[in-house]
Amino acid sequence: MTPPPPAAPEPAGSGAADPLDARLPSPLVEVADERLAARGVRLALKRDDLIHPDLPGNKYRKLRLNLAAAAEAGHTTLLTFGGAYSNHLRATAAAGRLLGLRTVGLVRGDELADRPLNPSLARAAADGMRLEFVDRATYRRKAEPETLAALTDRFGPAYVLPEGGSNALAAVGAAELGRELDGEADVVAVAVGTGGTLAGLAAGLAAGLGSGSGSGSGRAEAIGFPVLRGGGFLAAEVLRLQEEAFGGRRGRWRLDDRFHHGGYARTTPELDAFAADFAARHGLRPEPVYVAKMLHGVHTLAEEGAFPPGTRVAAVITGTDPGETG
Ligand SMILES: *Cc1c(COP(=O)(O)O)cnc(C)c1O
């Protein structure tokens, strides 16, 4: 047997060698907001948008262990699903480019096949992702075994990531976010799409607790703000992800579904005004699909008196306004 080659030195400043070179932990930056201060509430922004230029925020955290599992199993293709504006599709395409993996993205809506690609899909395509547009009925059946078998027949063996990238490994990866915030906040606010980030965040916030301690522990509560309409199914989905990832319900978390502003990628004049005001006050234009809705929720809850004076709120900035980075 030949001895293993000497281990390559790890890059300076990071923990375990990370081929994607993520900047972790992300910064936690306190901002002065006089409306919140009037309620005795302190706000800090957890800048997950700064983790990686191509896989911002929670997308990096959710992909990390899945990419390791794909490599471990010898897969050279990632296959996943998303809508036409899916950040997850774009992040998967970028990861494929950086790691030398083939990527296939199934996009909801076969009518899109004949139209020019929107900027998000164009970016995924430029990163080498093969885009396949499927009708909505087929898309709904994407997780069924027959559909997956047909896809691997067509595209070859692939590591399959669910829509939005939320599976048990994604939740375990997102728990790191909670651990980074442990002791730093009383309430952590996060926008919710598919729920994987909230599932992991809440578990990570509770990770320092001994077994048997659950709700009422006095540790931070995670509040998820669904950005889609009719997110009533999400509580069950977050619980399912926690059961798969951690073996049961973990941490203190709840959803507040009043801030979807009409649904996914929809907005209202109230939300637009809020986002413009936030940008003017803090020099950070909130990403409109997720982050602006979460921040609007935080400010509204504060105005409603939901947070006792002295509460430290951490708001997770999961993404960047595409208008900011071009
Ligand atoms: C994907 C995404 C989310 C939602 O994450 P889930 O784990 O799907 O709930 C939140 N914010 C941004 C910017 C995202 O891209």
Side-chain angles (χ1 to χ4, degrees):
M1 292 218 338
T2 39
E10 291 186 354
S14 75
D18 175 6
L20 294 176
D21 193 21
R23 306 293 145 84
L24 289 170
S26 63
L28 181 66
V29 186
E30 190 149 354
V31 296
D33 190 305
E34 57 202 37
R35 295 160 302 172
L36 297 176
R39 297 276 174 181
V41 173
R42 282 161 57 191
L43 176 66
L45 306 180
K46 179 65 171 164
R47 295 294 305 270
D48 264 20
D49 55 319
L50 302 178
I51 289 177
H52 194 284
D54 299 326
L55 296 81
N58 62 349
K59 296 304 181 280
Y60 170 80
R61 295 189 191 271
K62 288 165 63 172
L63 277 170
R64 182 174 60 91
L65 297 174
N66 278 292
L67 295 169
E72 179 100 333
H75 279 295
T76 54
T77 302
L78 306 171
L79 181 113
T80 194
F81 315 89
Y85 290 92
S86 165
N87 290 339
H88 163 68
L89 276 187
R90 223 173 49 228
T92 304
R97 169 173 53 80
L98 294 166
L99 300 176
L101 299 168
R102 287 176 64 215
T103 55
V104 180
L106 268 82
V107 186
R108 180 180 55 232
D110 52 352
E111 76 281 1
L112 299 172
D114 311 321
R115 297 189 198 155
L117 297 177
N118 69 35
S120 182
L121 291 176
R123 177 73 184 275
D127 278 341
M129 180 173 265
R130 171 162 177 188
L131 299 172
E132 289 287 322
F133 297 90
V134 298
D135 64 83
R136 277 147 218 274
T138 307
Y139 191 85
R140 267 195 296 279
R141 294 193 302 271
K142 61 189 170 304
E144 292 174 11
E146 310 81 67
T147 313
L148 291 173
L151 289 171
T152 40
D153 271 358
R154 211 168 137 210
F155 299 111
Y159 186 87
V160 178
L161 289 154
E163 181 175 42
S166 284
N167 57 13
L169 285 178
V172 174
E176 188 80 44
L177 168 62
R179 284 193 294 274
E180 288 175 21
L181 288 167
D182 188 22
E184 305 284 343
D186 306 302
V187 170
V188 181
V190 69
V192 175
T194 54
T197 307
L198 176 62
L201 164 66
L205 285 169
L209 301 171
S211 60
S213 43
S215 56
S217 65
R219 287 297 184 101
E221 178 182 46
I223 307 179
F225 296 93
V227 302
L228 32 91
R229 185 198 276 283
F233 68 95
L234 277 169
E237 179 60 9
V238 173
L239 184 56
R240 181 188 73 79
L241 286 164
Q242 288 202 326
E243 282 167 347
E244 268 184 39
F246 312 110
R249 190 178 176 102
R250 291 291 182 276
R252 298 170 58 212
W253 59 267
R254 65 186 175 89
L255 295 167
D256 190 329
D257 62 7
R258 295 178 294 158
F259 301 98
H260 58 70
H261 292 269
Y264 186 78
R266 301 285 173 87
T267 187
T268 57
E270 186 191 15
L271 182 65
D272 292 342
F274 170 81
D277 179 66
F278 188 92
R281 284 170 192 266
H282 303 304
L284 178 87
R285 223 166 82 196
E287 180 278 331
V289 177
Y290 292 94
V291 175
K293 293 179 180 182
M294 176 275 296
L295 289 170
H296 184 241
V298 167
H299 279 76
T300 306
L301 285 175
E303 273 159 35
E304 291 171 352
F307 306 128
T311 301
R312 296 167 304 161
V313 178
V316 185
I317 307 301
T318 40
T320 323
D321 183 345
E324 294 234 310
T325 50

